[in-house]
Amino acid sequence: MTISRSPAAPLLPELIKKFRAIVGAKYALTDPADIEPYLTEERNLFHGRSPLVLRPGSTAEVAAICELASEHRIALVPQGGNTGLVGGQTPHIGEVVVSLRRLDKIREVDTASNTMTCEAGVVLQVAQQKAAEVDRLFPLSLGAEGSCTIGGNLSTNAGGTAALAYGVAREMALGLEVVLADGRVFNVLSKLKKDNTGYNLHNLFIGAEGTLGIITAATLKLFPKPRAMETAFVGLKSPAEALKLLTIAQGEAGGTLTSFEILSEIAVDFSISHGIDVRDPLQEKHPWYVLLELSSPRDDARATLEAILTRAMEEEIIDDAVIAANLTQRAGFWKLRDEISSAQKPEGGSIKHDISVPVAAVPAFIAEADAEVIKLIPGARPVPFGHLGDGNLHYNVSQPVGADAADFLARWHDINAVVFEIVLRMGGSISAEHGIGALKRAELPDVKDKTAIELMRQVKAMLDPLGIMNPGKVL
């Protein structure tokens, strides 16, 4: 996808030399081959361009970069693990990329306050492992957790599979360290759970996708490590039945219900067909599936899960179910779920949506969206799956079998219009957890409250008056 906007200001050799002096020659990339990995993203939807990639190793270096960029009006694009899905981390018009991957220190783990202070480049999986080492849980969990970074997670307000119980990234951050566009450092790395001293400014930068400043560190919440974890894979007839199962599970398990994923038959088929070492846990195929997980501080999760499934069987809500017998089987269940996104690639063009609607509206949304999408493009294959527990669906649409991928992808905005109209009519959001980036920037003014858009623009103008922070993203 091409982004047509005015190019960034040219970067003269003298200025490149000044940027190089800040980070060191080794960490200022100008060779096109070295820069290339920072220009492409996971879905190959966007391909950017940049004359320079800077890899600072400290907050002070990030601050110096921003101060120099502000002085010369040089546009910057912050980048973490480069796993974003809406083009927010891509330099579309020749901006300088500021990669935060070298800011990878865990500065402190405080088990008394249940906090961990991480730099922005810490990989999510590393943060999870560090928490586990001290018998704690950092619950943010995403398919890309082996490569995405804490800074990127917060910049996009990532959700993930445990949001049902623990919330999204915003709810896991007590404080931030942020470098502003002019190079000032805004430091509120607080461990406090209670602080009523004025505006909660750090929340401005969470979900802002690097358009207001560059997150360089965060103080994160930790939770008690579960003593028991039980996982089930369930076959059932419809999203309506899945919703009934969710109600039972919430009533029986309460806050120990940590994940509740709904998977369509076609999504499971794709994962089994194209994933590596992916197997169907059930003996027969079903129109819909649910992957649910309980995490408890006590040893009662198994009994609770069995009670949920027994009741659902008795009420004829589910048709079959299997509980993971060990950690290997549990990992297999989750691998089937996690492979769905990549398994769509061999099926050709895929038009993806990351939407949310009220939980009770999910079955009606799927039925209506499926009908309208197939009416628009006969033979199109909706592939819905996602986080039923919080109403967040990845409503993806694969091309008709045998169709030309380029022709299908050219209908991206047509399908968006159909899907988004249903989402908004049902009181939902066109972006639940992936962000706006460049992909949904044009749609945002049409779906956001007008006063909210005005306020967002005013905040942007105040914090980034020169418009150098990730230009062309979000607003």
Side-chain angles (χ1 to χ4, degrees):
M1 187 174 291
T2 302
I3 303 296
S4 56
R5 286 193 287 274
S6 300
L11 199 60
L12 301 176
E14 316 80 268
L15 200 49
I16 292 178
K17 185 176 180 180
K18 290 183 178 180
F19 278 121
R20 182 182 291 119
I22 293 172
V23 299
K26 181 179 179 181
Y27 301 113
L29 311 180
T30 55
D31 187 289
D34 294 332
I35 291 175
E36 181 62 25
Y38 299 86
L39 307 181
T40 56
E41 43 82 48
E42 187 172 322
R43 298 194 303 197
N44 295 319
L45 192 59
F46 299 99
H47 191 282
R49 55 192 179 87
S50 174
L52 177 66
V53 173
L54 299 172
R55 303 184 66 232
S58 69
T59 299
E61 289 182 1
V62 176
I65 290 168
C66 289
E67 184 177 4
L68 183 60
S70 180
E71 180 183 348
H72 294 275
R73 292 180 177 250
I74 300 299
L76 303 175
V77 174
Q79 190 179 102
N82 195 17
T83 61
L85 298 173
V86 292
Q89 78 279 24
T90 305
H92 297 293
I93 57 173
E95 307 97 318
V96 172
V97 174
V98 181
S99 170
L100 283 302
R101 295 181 201 176
R102 288 184 60 225
L103 273 72
D104 60 357
K105 298 179 182 63
I106 295 178
R107 296 182 183 175
E108 182 188 36
V109 178
D110 183 345
T111 55
S113 64
N114 280 318
T115 62
M116 174 168 58
T117 301
C118 297
E119 293 185 342
V122 171
V123 172
L124 174 55
Q125 193 170 70
V126 172
Q128 295 168 343
Q129 291 168 349
K130 188 65 175 179
E133 288 173 9
V134 293
D135 202 34
R136 297 294 188 273
L137 172 72
F138 182 60
L140 187 64
S141 182
L142 317 172
E145 61 193 29
S147 51
C148 65
T149 61
I150 293 298
N153 297 151
L154 292 169
S155 292
T156 58
N157 192 27
T161 57
L164 171 63
Y166 298 102
V168 295
R170 183 187 306 281
E171 296 164 269
M172 299 181 199
L174 288 170
L176 297 181
E177 178 185 83
V178 183
V179 175
L180 303 181
D182 59 8
R184 287 180 295 164
V185 178
F186 169 61
N187 188 331
V188 284
L189 288 172
S190 172
K191 301 177 185 179
L192 302 177
K193 292 179 172 62
K194 293 181 178 180
D195 182 358
N196 266 340
T197 54
Y199 305 139
N200 190 344
L201 295 175
H202 81 267
N203 261 320
L204 280 173
F205 301 93
I206 300 176
E209 301 182 48
T211 61
L212 302 180
I214 300 177
I215 295 173
T216 51
T219 300
L220 307 171
K221 294 180 185 178
L222 300 181
F223 296 82
K225 189 176 180 181
R227 297 290 172 240
M229 186 175 291
E230 297 291 345
T231 312
F233 197 80
V234 179
L236 29 68
K237 294 182 176 64
S238 70
E241 301 302 309
L243 191 59
K244 293 177 184 177
L245 177 61
L246 174 63
T247 301
I248 291 174
Q250 289 176 321
E252 295 283 346
T256 64
L257 178 65
T258 46
S259 296
F260 197 98
E261 302 288 295
I262 186 171
L263 317 172
S264 58
E265 180 181 6
I266 189 172
V268 169
D269 285 347
F270 283 0
S271 186
I272 293 170
S273 298
H274 304 297
I276 299 173
D277 294 327
V278 175
R279 296 175 178 82
D280 190 339
L282 301 178
Q283 295 295 319
E284 298 179 0
K285 294 180 66 172
H286 298 268
W288 289 87
Y289 300 86
V290 162
L291 173 58
L292 71 155
E293 188 161 271
L294 276 58
S295 304
S296 175
R298 300 176 299 275
D299 295 326
D300 59 353
R302 182 74 175 213
T304 303
L305 182 55
E306 289 176 349
I308 291 168
L309 297 178
T310 298
R311 180 178 165 189
M313 282 281 190
E314 290 172 348
E315 296 182 16
E316 299 183 346
I317 292 171
I318 66 176
D319 298 322
D320 197 6
V322 59
I323 298 175
N326 49 50
L327 291 176
T328 300
Q329 194 170 19
R330 174 186 178 268
F333 291 0
W334 279 106
K335 185 172 178 58
L336 188 154
R337 160 65 178 88
D338 293 340
E339 290 283 337
I340 290 174
S341 293
S342 60
Q344 291 169 78
K345 291 182 181 179
E347 295 290 332
S350 177
I351 296 175
K352 302 178 185 293
H353 306 88
D354 163 48
I355 63 92
S356 61
V357 295
V359 174
V362 168
F365 166 78
I366 293 173
E368 190 169 341
D370 284 0
E372 291 299 318
V373 164
I374 293 170
K375 179 181 177 181
L376 179 68
I377 301 180
R381 296 173 291 167
V383 187
F385 65 99
H387 321 301
L388 179 60
D390 50 40
N392 173 201
L393 283 181
H394 301 296
Y395 186 80
N396 300 344
V397 183
S398 285
Q399 69 176 58
V401 175
D404 180 78
D407 289 345
F408 176 72
L409 293 175
R411 306 293 302 277
W412 191 289
H413 292 292
D414 296 337
I415 291 183
N416 279 176
V418 166
V419 173
F420 290 166
E421 189 280 326
I422 300 169
V423 168
L424 296 173
R425 179 159 37 83
M426 292 184 173
S429 169
I430 68 169
S431 180
E433 60 181 3
H434 291 166
I436 297 298
L439 185 65
K440 301 176 185 178
R441 175 176 176 261
E443 284 86 2
L444 188 62
D446 296 328
V447 303
K448 193 82 171 173
D449 175 79
K450 304 306 178 188
T451 301
I453 289 288
E454 290 174 6
L455 290 173
M456 288 170 64
R457 287 177 174 148
Q458 289 169 7
V459 171
K460 171 72 171 174
M462 179 185 68
L463 291 174
D464 181 24
L466 301 178
I468 66 169
M469 301 303 293
N470 214 2
K473 315 295 171 53
V474 184
L475 293 172

